[in-house]
């Protein structure tokens, strides 16, 4: 079993010092240049690597790229891509065979079966089985199950962007952030921001009615969330007491077999709770049409929203507080965006939380690359996982952007703004490529000296509270990544479920929503049952998380 998932602190992942960059004979693709690595004096052939990326225009014109390009004797060609087109671009490139050297994908359950077909058709090159030249990659593989997910015919075909909380089962809190300063003004803020469901909804109601932000009648809104959490954030999540968590309501194991969660009474009761909040006006009415998932947070930053559903990473915490401080200089920055802990509507002692998948996105190497190109990319990936690589991706260049202290911490050399915060000299998004091996939004963000200490401590304390108090639903990789004929063809009906839930929020009544929902799920069952039959015919169905890990690890 991959015990690392449960107990290895992430710091063990990055202790190895800088290893030598790989090299090989010249391929004729580009000129030859001499480059010295940390060990000594190896000649590298300068080569080119292409990859798709967001913010492509921000990657190269800076000192970080100049250092990186010289160090690895590589010219990166960044192919522009919008985040919203990530799946479609991957499909187009795969269909045409015109892949980047390194294909970045949001390799989740929505495209996984297609990726398996692409691997089987020979589009990608495998990662070497012997990783002795790249020990940090080996450690990363040992710290999560992504390499098992990306194994086809005995070889690994993708490198995962690992989440950086292996020490806590990759759990970083998702929940509701709110205007704690408004709660204090009304005398309703609870100690440690821990609320029962009714206490928090009473607070939302009072903020709308009493307008502590001084917006004027009808201009203060209650609860909102991005579409990918809506309406589940407001009742559905909190009623899930099962072993398995989810962001989208699909299939989960209950009593040894898979069921379609939207047919469970827990889902229906959660939907009814959300319906009640919507009808009362506690949920922002236009959340149902905010398909770009931008208006909801813009209203928060405009001082018109009480609370928002959020993935409460330190990066998001800092971004939100900075936006609020900029818009409202007199507001207490820390209280303008606080993470609330809200109990279940059914149980004042039950607090819901979910585990994140161990990775988010992955990179596959085109089969058209040369061995030299592939080894150079592995050299790069391995270095970015080291201490030195992590300092580089967080701050930039030693001696220019930071000095390394004897204890391994960084003394930042950036300018301070008028609020005493560091000003990052690099454009937002300029580090996108270097951030691929590990998403440093949790443990590494907590260690990032450029982030205000209050934000780091608030984020960490919120996570710690969850680890100690919340029920944490686990990720069922077996269900998500099992490829079956009907599941691959029909999918998991997430879009249909969300569309119907929103439709009924708008058009049904409190008395009719359960009946209408059951009628709709019954109409869907002929198709859904085909997927359920596939899933329940799998040779393995996990009954708990430890069983799943044993199965994934092959032990």
């Amino acid at each position: 079993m991959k015990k690392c998932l449960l107990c290895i602190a992430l710091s063990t992942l990055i202790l190895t010092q800088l290893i030598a960059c790989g090299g090989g004979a010249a391929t004729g693709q580009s000129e030859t240049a001499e480059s010295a690595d940390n060990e000594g004096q190896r000649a590298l052939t300068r080569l080119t690597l292409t990859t798709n990326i967001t913010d492509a225009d921000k990657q190269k014109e800076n000192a970080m790229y100049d250092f990186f390009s010289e160090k690895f004797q590589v010219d990166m060609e960044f192919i522009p891509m919008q985040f919203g087109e990530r799946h479609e671009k991957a499909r187009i490139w795969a269909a045409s065979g015109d892949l980047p050297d390194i294909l970045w994908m949001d390799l989740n359950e929505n495209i996984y079966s297609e990726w398996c077909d692409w691997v089987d058709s020979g589009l990608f090159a495998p990662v070497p089985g012997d990783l002795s030249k790249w020990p940090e990659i080996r450690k990363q593989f040992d710290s999560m199950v992504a390499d098992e997910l990306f194994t086809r015919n005995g070889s690994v075909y993708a490198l995962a962007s690992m989440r950086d909380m292996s020490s806590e089962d990759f759990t970083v809190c998702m929940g509701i952030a709110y205007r704690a300063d408004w709660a204090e003004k009304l005398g309703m803020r609870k100690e440690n921001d821990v609320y029962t469901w009714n206490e928090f909804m009473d607070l939302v109601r009072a903020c709308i009615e009493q307008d502590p932000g001084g917006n004027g009648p009808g201009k203060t809104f209650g609860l909102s969330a991005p579409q990918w959490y809506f309406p589940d954030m407001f009742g559905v999540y909190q009623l899930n007491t099962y072993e398995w968590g989810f962001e989208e309501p699909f299939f989960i194991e209950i009593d040894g077999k898979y069921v379609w969660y939207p047919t469970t009474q827990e889902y229906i009761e959660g939907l009814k709770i959300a319906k009640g909040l919507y009808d009362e006006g506690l949920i922002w009415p236009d959340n149902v049409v905010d398909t770009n998932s931008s208006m909801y947070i813009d209203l928060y930053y405009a001082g018109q929203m009480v609370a928002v559903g959020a993935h409460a990473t330190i990066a998001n915490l800092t971004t939100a507080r900075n936006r609020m401080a900029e818009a409202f200089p007199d507001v207490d920055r820390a209280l303008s965006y606080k993470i609330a802990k809200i109990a279940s509507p059914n149980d004042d002692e039950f607090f819901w939380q979910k585990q994140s998948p161990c990775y988010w996105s992955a990179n596959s190497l085109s089969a058209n690359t040369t061995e030299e190109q592939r080894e150079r990319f592995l050299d790069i990936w391995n270095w970015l996982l080291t201490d030195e690589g992590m300092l580089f991706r967080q701050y930039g260049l030693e001696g220019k952007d930071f000095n390394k202290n004897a204890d391994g911490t960084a003394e930042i050399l950036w300018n301070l703004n008028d609020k005493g915060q560091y000003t990052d000299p690099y454009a937002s998004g300029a580090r996108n490529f270097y951030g691929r091996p590990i998403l440093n939004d949790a443990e590494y963000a907590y260690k990032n000296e450029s982030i205000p200490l209050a934000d780091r401590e608030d984020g960490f304390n919120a996570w710690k509270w969850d680890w100690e108090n919340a029920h944490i639903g686990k990720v069922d990789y077996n269900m998500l990544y099992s490829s079956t004929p009907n599941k691959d063809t029909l999918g998991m009906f997430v879009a249909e479920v969300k569309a119907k839930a929103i439709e009924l929020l708008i058009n049904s009544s409190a008395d009719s929503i359960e009946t209408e929902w059951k009628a709709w799920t019954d109409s869907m069952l002929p198709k859904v049952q085909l997927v359920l039959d596939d899933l329940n015919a799998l040779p393995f169905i996990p009954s708990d998380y430890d069983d799943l890990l044993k199965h994934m690890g092959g032990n």
Side-chain angles (χ1 to χ4, degrees), residues 301-302 322-329:
Y301 294 152
N322 285 346
R323 289 286 299 271
M324 295 301 290
E326 182 179 352
F328 305 99

Side-chain angles (χ1 to χ4, degrees), residues 16-21 37-39 42 71-72 133-136 378-379 382-383 386:
T16 305
Q17 293 298 313
L18 178 64
I19 69 166
C21 299
D37 61 14
N38 271 18
E39 302 265 331
R42 237 184 339 166
K71 177 178 181 62
F72 289 102
K133 291 173 61 177
W134 304 284
E136 299 302 326
L378 294 174
D379 292 341
N382 194 85
W383 179 73
T386 65

Side-chain angles (χ1 to χ4, degrees), residues 176 178 186 188 190 195-209 222-224 231-236 238 273-274 276-278 280-283 306-307 340-345:
I176 295 175
Y178 79 116
L186 298 178
M188 299 178 72
K190 302 293 291 186
Y195 295 84
T196 67
W197 185 266
N198 289 335
E199 285 172 341
F200 195 80
M201 297 311 154
D202 286 344
L203 169 61
V204 173
R205 193 175 293 111
C207 287
I208 293 172
E209 294 172 353
L223 302 161
S224 67
D232 312 79
M233 181 67 78
F234 304 121
V236 173
Q238 292 82 0
I273 289 167
L277 297 175
Y278 185 80
E280 186 184 349
L282 297 191
I283 291 177
V306 181
K341 300 299 179 184
I342 306 170
S344 164

